[in-house]
């Protein structure tokens, strides 16, 4: 069965550059979530979309934005990157309110 | 407010022993979910327990939920070396389309 696909798997950027992370949810899942996980930290919720509309917002910096497109894939755009943005970024998707999430393998972003 | 605080932070046991991890949360929830994460990988959904349930089983996993104490526990019986991972609980609040919020997790080490 198809899982949640994230790209790229690894990304190295310099300070003040921009980055775009992509996520392709499981077909027919209606909600997409983005999480950030720093080294040794718990996953921090950033933002989610239900049927292409923003449904919840967490600790997403103003430098970051996200959207979900008509084909349901989502992109996380990150600008003015800082060293502290280095982390694993996970996308997850789910179907209906009471189901578990399926996580992608993540994008490891390193800011140098 | 942060949901899903786990304890202990780290647990080391021998193969065949049982492992118990606890989780506390702060607000009313729709459901609580447990996930497992191998180092650097995406979270994997283990089990979901709804707010009107008190106990749930899945294979070697047993989850309890005490909404009066706002706490949950995950028991892994007859542990195996392959159970070595970090375990997170995620609380889904009872309002709207809120995303899961995770706590700091329990790092389980099962010695062969």
């Amino acid at each position: 069965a198809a899982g949640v696909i994230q790209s790229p798997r690894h990304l190295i950027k310099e300070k003040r550059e921009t980055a775009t992370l992509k996520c392709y949810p499981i077909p027919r899942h209606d909600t997409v979530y983005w999480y950030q996980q720093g080294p040794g930290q718990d996953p921090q919720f950033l933002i989610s979309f239900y049927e292409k509309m923003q449904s919840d917002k967490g600790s997403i910096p103003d430098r970051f934005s996200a959207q979900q497109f008509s084909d349901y894939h989502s992109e996380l755009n990150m600008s003015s990157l800082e060293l502290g943005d280095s982390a694993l970024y996970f996308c997850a998707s789910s179907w209906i309110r009471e189901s578990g999430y399926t996580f992608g393998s993540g994008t490891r972003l390193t800011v140098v | 407010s942060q949901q899903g605080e786990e304890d202990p932070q780290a647990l080391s046991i021998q193969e065949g022993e049982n492992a118990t991890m606890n989780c506390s949360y702060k607000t009313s929830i729709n459901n609580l979910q447990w996930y497992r994460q191998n180092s650097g990988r995406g979270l994997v959904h283990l089990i979901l327990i709804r707010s009107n349930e008190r106990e749930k089983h899945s294979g070697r996993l047993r989850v309890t939920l005490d909404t009066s104490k706002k706490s949950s526990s995950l028991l892994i019986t007859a542990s195996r070396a392959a159970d070595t991972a970090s375990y997170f609980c995620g609380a889904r609040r009872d309002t709207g389309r809120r995303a899961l919020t995770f706590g700091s997790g329990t790092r389980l080490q099962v010695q062969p």
Side-chain angles (χ1 to χ4, degrees):
Chain A
V4 175
I5 307 298
Q6 289 188 246
S7 67
R9 290 296 306 274
H10 302 274
L11 191 58
I12 299 175
K13 290 285 185 178
E14 295 189 353
K15 282 193 304 185
R16 292 179 289 279
E17 285 192 320
T18 62
T20 298
L21 310 185
K22 295 185 178 182
C23 170
Y24 296 84
I26 290 177
R28 293 186 298 281
H29 277 191
D30 60 11
T31 308
V32 169
Y33 312 85
W34 286 96
Y35 286 84
Q36 176 193 59
Q37 187 176 31
Q41 304 295 311
D42 56 292
Q44 290 290 324
F45 169 64
L46 295 177
I47 196 166
S48 63
F49 294 89
Y50 166 69
E51 288 291 343
K52 294 163 281 184
M53 299 289 290
Q54 182 181 312
S55 54
D56 196 5
K57 192 172 181 180
S59 52
I60 184 168
D62 291 341
R63 300 177 289 108
F64 294 5
S65 65
Q67 56 183 321
Q68 187 176 28
F69 294 86
S70 57
D71 65 351
Y72 289 88
H73 94 273
S74 179
E75 295 185 1
L76 178 66
N77 299 292
M78 309 159 71
S79 63
S80 302
L81 287 169
E82 302 173 355
L83 296 177
D85 296 329
S86 295
L88 270 170
Y89 289 83
F90 290 106
C91 171
S93 69
S94 72
W95 179 66
I96 71 174
R97 192 178 178 197
E98 292 189 347
S99 67
Y101 292 8
T102 301
F103 279 78
S105 299
T107 294
R108 183 175 293 280
L109 172 66
T110 303
V111 181
V112 297
Chain B
S1 63
Q2 190 163 7
Q3 303 270 48
E5 300 291 333
E6 288 88 11
D7 82 88
Q9 288 191 335
L11 182 60
S12 182
I13 59 174
Q14 298 292 316
E15 247 186 344
E17 293 181 335
N18 296 341
T20 300
M21 289 159 269
N22 302 297
C23 164
S24 62
Y25 57 91
K26 294 184 179 179
T27 65
S28 63
I29 59 170
N30 173 276
N31 64 68
L32 188 135
Q33 305 178 27
W34 285 89
Y35 289 77
R36 162 203 172 111
Q37 184 182 34
N38 288 88
S39 181
R41 303 288 194 91
L43 281 73
V44 175
H45 180 254
L46 295 176
I47 194 166
L48 179 154
I49 187 164
R50 294 180 175 81
S51 59
N52 62 352
E53 297 176 311
R54 291 297 166 258
E55 188 171 313
K56 203 162 183 179
H57 297 255
S58 176
R60 294 184 296 112
L61 306 179
R62 172 177 169 256
V63 169
T64 62
L65 180 66
D66 187 335
T67 53
S68 66
K69 295 180 179 177
K70 292 188 167 58
S71 66
S72 173
S73 68
L74 171 67
L75 168 67
I76 303 175
T77 60
S79 63
R80 306 165 181 168
D83 294 329
T84 294
S86 291
Y87 291 83
F88 294 90
C89 77
R92 186 155 200 171
R93 282 177 285 175
D94 198 18
T95 53
R97 293 196 167 272
R98 297 291 191 171
L100 286 179
T101 52
F102 294 96
S104 51
T106 294
R107 288 185 301 280
L108 174 65
Q109 177 77 40
V110 182
Q111 307 286 351

